[in-house]
PDB file of all heavy atoms in Angstrom:
ATOM      1  N   SER A 194      25.545  42.701   9.814  1.00  0.00           N
ATOM      2  CA  SER A 194      26.341  41.841  10.697  1.00  0.00           C
ATOM      3  C   SER A 194      25.479  40.917  11.564  1.00  0.00           C
ATOM      4  O   SER A 194      25.992  39.977  12.161  1.00  0.00           O
ATOM      5  CB  SER A 194      27.218  42.700  11.621  1.00  0.00           C
ATOM      6  OG  SER A 194      26.403  43.421  12.532  1.00  0.00           O
ATOM      7  N   LEU A 195      24.173  41.155  11.606  1.00  0.00           N
ATOM      8  CA  LEU A 195      23.313  40.391  12.508  1.00  0.00           C
ATOM      9  C   LEU A 195      22.989  38.985  12.008  1.00  0.00           C
ATOM     10  O   LEU A 195      22.496  38.148  12.769  1.00  0.00           O
ATOM     11  CB  LEU A 195      22.006  41.154  12.758  1.00  0.00           C
ATOM     12  CG  LEU A 195      22.182  42.491  13.485  1.00  0.00           C
ATOM     13  CD1 LEU A 195      20.848  43.192  13.647  1.00  0.00           C
ATOM     14  CD2 LEU A 195      22.820  42.262  14.847  1.00  0.00           C
ATOM     15  N   ALA A 196      23.238  38.740  10.735  1.00  0.00           N
ATOM     16  CA  ALA A 196      22.961  37.405  10.185  1.00  0.00           C
ATOM     17  C   ALA A 196      23.744  37.255   8.884  1.00  0.00           C
ATOM     18  O   ALA A 196      24.060  38.260   8.232  1.00  0.00           O
ATOM     19  CB  ALA A 196      21.462  37.240   9.909  1.00  0.00           C
ATOM     20  N   PRO A 197      24.043  36.032   8.481  1.00  0.00           N
ATOM     21  CA  PRO A 197      24.629  35.863   7.146  1.00  0.00           C
ATOM     22  C   PRO A 197      23.629  36.312   6.087  1.00  0.00           C
ATOM     23  O   PRO A 197      22.435  36.017   6.204  1.00  0.00           O
ATOM     24  CB  PRO A 197      24.886  34.354   7.046  1.00  0.00           C
ATOM     25  CG  PRO A 197      24.832  33.843   8.445  1.00  0.00           C
ATOM     26  CD  PRO A 197      23.878  34.746   9.180  1.00  0.00           C
ATOM     27  N   HIS A 198      24.088  37.027   5.088  1.00  0.00           N
ATOM     28  CA  HIS A 198      23.227  37.474   3.996  1.00  0.00           C
ATOM     29  C   HIS A 198      23.766  36.907   2.676  1.00  0.00           C
ATOM     30  O   HIS A 198      24.981  36.912   2.453  1.00  0.00           O
ATOM     31  CB  HIS A 198      23.186  39.005   3.929  1.00  0.00           C
ATOM     32  CG  HIS A 198      22.353  39.628   5.018  1.00  0.00           C
ATOM     33  ND1 HIS A 198      22.746  39.653   6.342  1.00  0.00           N
ATOM     34  CD2 HIS A 198      21.140  40.241   4.979  1.00  0.00           C
ATOM     35  CE1 HIS A 198      21.816  40.269   7.065  1.00  0.00           C
ATOM     36  NE2 HIS A 198      20.832  40.639   6.268  1.00  0.00           N
ATOM     37  N   LEU A 199      22.858  36.431   1.840  1.00  0.00           N
ATOM     38  CA  LEU A 199      23.247  35.852   0.557  1.00  0.00           C
ATOM     39  C   LEU A 199      23.005  36.861  -0.556  1.00  0.00           C
ATOM     40  O   LEU A 199      21.869  37.299  -0.775  1.00  0.00           O
ATOM     41  CB  LEU A 199      22.438  34.575   0.285  1.00  0.00           C
ATOM     42  CG  LEU A 199      22.699  33.883  -1.055  1.00  0.00           C
ATOM     43  CD1 LEU A 199      24.151  33.406  -1.172  1.00  0.00           C
ATOM     44  CD2 LEU A 199      21.742  32.709  -1.249  1.00  0.00           C
ATOM     45  N   LEU A 200      24.072  37.230  -1.229  1.00  0.00           N
ATOM     46  CA  LEU A 200      23.991  38.131  -2.383  1.00  0.00           C
ATOM     47  C   LEU A 200      24.445  37.361  -3.611  1.00  0.00           C
ATOM     48  O   LEU A 200      25.350  36.532  -3.541  1.00  0.00           O
ATOM     49  CB  LEU A 200      24.888  39.351  -2.159  1.00  0.00           C
ATOM     50  CG  LEU A 200      24.553  40.193  -0.921  1.00  0.00           C
ATOM     51  CD1 LEU A 200      25.694  41.167  -0.610  1.00  0.00           C
ATOM     52  CD2 LEU A 200      23.241  40.950  -1.120  1.00  0.00           C
ATOM     53  N   GLN A 201      23.796  37.661  -4.736  1.00  0.00           N
ATOM     54  CA  GLN A 201      24.069  36.878  -5.934  1.00  0.00           C
ATOM     55  C   GLN A 201      24.083  37.783  -7.164  1.00  0.00           C
ATOM     56  O   GLN A 201      23.404  38.826  -7.190  1.00  0.00           O
ATOM     57  CB  GLN A 201      22.967  35.805  -6.092  1.00  0.00           C
ATOM     58  CG  GLN A 201      23.427  34.527  -6.724  1.00  0.00           C
ATOM     59  CD  GLN A 201      22.428  33.390  -6.541  1.00  0.00           C
ATOM     60  OE1 GLN A 201      21.231  33.572  -6.726  1.00  0.00           O
ATOM     61  NE2 GLN A 201      22.927  32.215  -6.201  1.00  0.00           N
ATOM     62  N   HIS A 202      24.867  37.366  -8.138  1.00  0.00           N
ATOM     63  CA  HIS A 202      24.883  38.061  -9.427  1.00  0.00           C
ATOM     64  C   HIS A 202      23.468  38.069 -10.008  1.00  0.00           C
ATOM     65  O   HIS A 202      22.764  37.054  -9.972  1.00  0.00           O
ATOM     66  CB  HIS A 202      25.847  37.352 -10.381  1.00  0.00           C
ATOM     67  CG  HIS A 202      25.861  37.924 -11.756  1.00  0.00           C
ATOM     68  ND1 HIS A 202      26.483  39.112 -12.056  1.00  0.00           N
ATOM     69  CD2 HIS A 202      25.329  37.471 -12.916  1.00  0.00           C
ATOM     70  CE1 HIS A 202      26.334  39.365 -13.343  1.00  0.00           C
ATOM     71  NE2 HIS A 202      25.636  38.388 -13.881  1.00  0.00           N
ATOM     72  N   ASN A 203      23.053  39.201 -10.529  1.00  0.00           N
ATOM     73  CA  ASN A 203      21.732  39.315 -11.131  1.00  0.00           C
ATOM     74  C   ASN A 203      21.781  38.787 -12.562  1.00  0.00           C
ATOM     75  O   ASN A 203      22.375  39.427 -13.439  1.00  0.00           O
ATOM     76  CB  ASN A 203      21.291  40.784 -11.121  1.00  0.00           C
ATOM     77  CG  ASN A 203      19.896  40.959 -11.673  1.00  0.00           C
ATOM     78  OD1 ASN A 203      19.017  40.138 -11.407  1.00  0.00           O
ATOM     79  ND2 ASN A 203      19.708  42.011 -12.449  1.00  0.00           N
ATOM     80  N   VAL A 204      21.196  37.632 -12.784  1.00  0.00           N
ATOM     81  CA  VAL A 204      21.250  37.018 -14.113  1.00  0.00           C
ATOM     82  C   VAL A 204      20.395  37.835 -15.082  1.00  0.00           C
ATOM     83  O   VAL A 204      19.228  38.134 -14.806  1.00  0.00           O
ATOM     84  CB  VAL A 204      20.727  35.564 -14.061  1.00  0.00           C
ATOM     85  CG1 VAL A 204      20.684  34.964 -15.468  1.00  0.00           C
ATOM     86  CG2 VAL A 204      21.588  34.726 -13.128  1.00  0.00           C
ATOM     87  N   ASP A 205      20.995  38.192 -16.203  1.00  0.00           N
ATOM     88  CA  ASP A 205      20.271  38.905 -17.251  1.00  0.00           C
ATOM     89  C   ASP A 205      19.497  37.866 -18.059  1.00  0.00           C
ATOM     90  O   ASP A 205      19.956  37.381 -19.086  1.00  0.00           O
ATOM     91  CB  ASP A 205      21.268  39.675 -18.135  1.00  0.00           C
ATOM     92  CG  ASP A 205      20.552  40.582 -19.118  1.00  0.00           C
ATOM     93  OD1 ASP A 205      19.332  40.793 -18.951  1.00  0.00           O
ATOM     94  OD2 ASP A 205      21.214  41.068 -20.055  1.00  0.00           O
TER      95      ASP A 205
END
Side-chain angles (χ1 to χ4, degrees):
Chain A
S194 67
L195 296 178
H198 285 71
L199 178 62
L200 301 166
Q201 212 165 45
H202 176 75
N203 183 39
V204 176
D205 188 13

